[in-house]
Amino acid sequence: LSSCGSRKTVQKGKLMDFTSTVIIPLLFGSLGIFALFRLLQWMRMRAYLQEAVVVITGATSGLGKECAKAFHAAGSKLVLCGRDSEKLKELVQELCAVKNHRKNRHKPHTVVFDLSDTKTVVNAAEEILKALGHVDILINNAGISFRGTIVDTGLDVDKKVMETNYFGPIALTKALLPSMIKRRQGHIVAISSVQGKISIPFRSAYAASKHATQAFFDCLRAEVEQYDIEVTVVSPGYIQTNLSLNAVTADGSRYGVMDKTTAQGQTAAEVAQVVLNAVGQKKKEVLVAGLTPCLAVYLRNLCPRLFFTLMASRAKKERKAKGS
């Protein structure tokens, strides 16, 4: 019995020696390597964003405005685009007033144009290139949402949403792309939506425009890889912005309601940081949503019949809630 006990004591001692001499150093070594990797990643991202010419559409409010703040803090040279010249001026003043520890001395440049007018988009691209010489990063952010039934929605409303959410961004992208190809350098970002991957009832025009956006930029990514141009598609869920307030309805009027899901969504500042990191790390695609929307995306692909049943049930509930 004594020999058996001494054998166990020896084995326990060997185990403790193995833990202290092998496992613990290995664990600390792994943590050190991970920390070094993250530091190098951060330094690379900072170098990538600092001094980069960044064009942001829809910069006067919501996610676009927060992206402007995030990229300005990162030391980028900003080109802020929007329809309201006064709001753009106010944003420039706000950014210049911020005491940035990286001392971004570049005053943001502003370009006023309507993304739904593709002719003015081309002129805006020419103005940007003339003023800055080139574009390093293009963030296609501007967009409009939609609320309404398909049967009641006029085709002109569908076209309006597609012009702003799809044709406008691709027109700007195509206008700036040749200069990127010539330099063999550039990064194009599309702010899409979870609804670019799944469709929910009473959002037909918006979901269609975002599905088109997803498809276009997926194709673009493959085609421009040979020129070392990056393409990132960011697909957020609900964000606390005025998107639902400014959404168009079936007859083209303003929706004017803050949806509960929108009010409870992520803040625009949080999503802007995700966009900044996605660009800095040159990610191909990022899904920025809660558990339920993410599960819905996978459910649509893995079990479509169940997904369709759930969407039909959702449509029924919404109709009942609205008394129609």
Side-chain angles (χ1 to χ4, degrees):
L1 287 172
S2 60
S3 63
C4 183
S6 62
R7 190 181 298 117
K8 287 183 178 179
T9 302
V10 171
Q11 288 176 345
K12 186 177 181 181
K14 287 182 178 179
L15 181 61
M16 291 178 67
D17 289 341
F18 179 76
T19 301
S20 60
T21 59
V22 178
I23 296 180
I24 293 178
L26 185 63
L27 179 62
F28 278 101
S30 299
L31 290 173
I33 292 172
F34 178 73
L36 180 61
F37 171 76
R38 291 302 298 267
L39 176 62
L40 292 172
Q41 190 179 53
W42 178 82
M43 291 175 65
R44 183 180 179 184
M45 182 174 77
R46 180 177 175 179
Y48 184 64
L49 297 173
Q50 203 163 21
E51 302 296 321
V53 177
V54 180
V55 176
I56 304 174
T57 65
T60 56
S61 64
L63 180 57
K65 186 174 183 178
E66 293 301 327
C67 281
K69 294 178 182 178
F71 280 87
H72 182 73
S76 302
K77 300 176 183 178
L78 298 184
V79 181
L80 306 175
C81 306
R83 293 178 297 177
D84 192 323
S85 60
E86 288 304 314
K87 286 186 177 180
L88 285 173
K89 289 178 183 177
E90 290 173 6
L91 178 56
V92 170
Q93 291 174 354
E94 183 179 344
L95 293 174
C96 292
V98 173
K99 293 182 179 179
N100 185 358
H101 69 282
R102 291 180 189 170
K103 296 181 180 179
N104 189 337
R105 298 184 181 87
H106 306 294
K107 183 180 178 180
H109 186 83
T110 61
V111 181
V112 181
F113 67 98
D114 186 350
L115 202 63
S116 64
D117 186 346
T118 52
K119 292 181 179 178
T120 64
V121 171
V122 174
N123 293 335
E126 292 176 355
E127 181 181 339
I128 292 168
L129 292 174
K130 186 177 180 180
L132 281 301
H134 69 277
V135 171
D136 293 302
I137 301 167
L138 166 62
I139 301 178
N140 289 297
N141 165 74
I144 188 172
S145 194
F146 166 81
R147 301 290 187 276
T149 62
I150 292 173
V151 69
D152 294 326
T153 303
L155 192 59
D156 57 327
V157 174
D158 290 290
K159 288 180 178 179
K160 179 179 181 179
V161 176
M162 288 295 290
E163 286 288 351
T164 302
N165 292 358
Y166 177 67
F167 287 110
I170 72 167
L172 184 57
T173 298
K174 288 187 174 186
L176 295 174
L177 187 59
S179 65
M180 289 184 175
I181 290 175
K182 187 176 180 180
R183 296 175 65 234
R184 297 188 69 88
Q185 183 179 335
H187 196 144
I188 299 169
V189 181
I191 305 298
S192 183
S193 168
V194 169
Q195 291 184 59
K197 296 179 176 294
I198 58 173
S199 301
I200 62 176
F202 312 114
R203 309 287 194 277
S204 59
Y206 181 74
S209 68
K210 292 302 183 179
H211 272 71
T213 297
Q214 178 79 50
F216 176 86
F217 286 98
D218 281 351
C219 290
L220 179 66
R221 184 188 298 109
E223 292 183 21
V224 300
E225 186 178 1
Q226 62 176 321
Y227 303 113
D228 299 320
I229 295 172
E230 301 289 336
V231 175
T232 300
V233 177
V234 181
S235 301
Y238 295 109
I239 310 175
Q240 295 174 22
T241 66
N242 292 331
L243 190 67
S244 69
L245 284 170
N246 297 325
V248 293
T249 61
D251 62 3
S253 61
R254 184 172 178 266
Y255 183 57
V257 176
M258 175 61 74
D259 289 336
K260 184 179 179 181
T261 50
T262 300
Q264 295 176 345
Q266 292 178 284
T267 66
E270 290 172 339
V271 179
Q273 281 299 317
V274 174
V275 174
L276 181 78
N277 292 332
V279 173
Q281 296 171 23
K282 300 181 181 181
K283 292 184 178 180
K284 307 296 183 186
E285 187 172 59
V286 183
L287 187 60
V288 195
L291 179 61
T292 301
C294 290
L295 288 176
V297 171
Y298 290 109
L299 186 64
R300 170 65 179 84
N301 294 316
L302 298 175
C303 192
R305 180 171 292 185
L306 177 57
F307 176 80
F308 298 148
T309 301
L310 291 173
M311 289 302 103
S313 176
R314 175 172 176 150
K316 188 176 181 180
K317 288 179 180 178
E318 286 196 29
R319 283 197 193 94
K320 187 176 181 180
K322 293 178 180 178
S324 58

